Amino acid sequence: MIYTCKYQSPLGEILLAANDDALVGLWIDTQIQKSAKIIGERYIDMETTILTKVKAWLDRYFAGKAPSPQELALKPMGTPFAERVWQLLLDIPYGKTTTYGEIAKQIATEREISQMSAQAVGNAVGSNPISIIIPCHRVIGASGNLVGYTGGLEKKIFLLKLEGHTL
């Protein structure tokens, strides 16, 4: 069963979804339509212990603290490639950024291949079902430009500024 609840954030309404064991989705208002793929039609609108912990984590995050994603049980669902990319996103420290190309290089090294497509990494980053906590907003273009964020670039800018970036 999937449980859902809403969280009011400075970015607008956020929809949270969890199973009995972990958070499976977090969508900012403009991303909520993507939630149907994960939560489907069988869900209960009920705040569980997991969702309460996520709300407390988000309270601290939006207060400018740097809570660790490792404090939460996360279970994003995707292809093995996407799940590896999301795991690498969790390694990006609060207040720091990396590029799609750097993540692609890391995966290529792990797979012992000469190169990996930064576009493939971008597709996986863009399909991240647990935004903010799995920090896809910390991935930028090779030249330092802010590209792609399914929640909208203004939200990406807000999150990066919250974390202390000067843009």
Side-chain angles (χ1 to χ4, degrees):
M1 184 56 65
I2 299 291
Y3 304 94
T4 64
C5 71
K6 293 181 178 160
Y7 175 84
Q8 295 302 321
S9 81
L11 296 174
E13 187 173 81
I14 292 178
L15 177 65
L16 304 172
N19 61 22
D20 290 324
D21 303 313
L23 183 70
V24 298
L26 183 156
W27 302 275
I28 303 168
D29 61 359
T30 55
Q31 302 170 311
I32 288 177
Q33 69 278 5
K34 288 185 162 195
S35 68
K37 191 164 87 173
I38 291 177
I39 63 175
E41 295 179 16
R42 296 191 61 203
Y43 67 92
I44 297 172
D45 189 23
M46 181 175 94
E47 188 170 325
T48 63
T49 303
I50 292 168
L51 295 173
T52 299
K53 286 180 183 178
V54 172
K55 284 182 163 185
W57 190 99
L58 289 168
D59 285 343
R60 289 183 296 144
Y61 178 81
F62 286 116
K65 310 290 186 219
S68 170
Q70 285 73 21
E71 297 173 21
L72 301 171
L74 306 175
K75 188 160 179 62
M77 294 176 270
T79 66
F81 176 77
E83 288 179 5
R84 180 62 188 135
V85 169
W86 302 334
Q87 189 62 45
L88 292 172
L89 296 179
L90 289 168
D91 294 337
I92 306 169
Y94 181 94
K96 302 291 182 189
T97 59
T98 193
T99 66
Y100 298 96
E102 287 300 316
I103 294 171
K105 284 179 194 174
Q106 187 169 350
I107 291 175
T109 299
E110 290 174 2
R111 293 183 172 192
E112 298 178 344
I113 57 177
S114 61
Q115 64 181 26
M116 169 59 62
S117 164
Q119 184 176 3
V121 168
N123 288 337
V125 170
S127 67
N128 171 18
I130 305 177
S131 62
I132 301 173
I133 296 171
I134 298 178
C136 50
H137 60 279
R138 295 180 189 154
V139 184
I140 60 174
S143 62
N145 53 337
L146 301 179
V147 294
Y149 189 64
T150 57
L153 282 180
E154 70 284 348
K155 289 179 173 54
K156 184 173 191 163
I157 291 167
F158 176 90
L159 294 169
L160 290 172
K161 285 183 176 179
L162 177 69
E163 295 182 7
H165 286 277
T166 54
L167 305 172

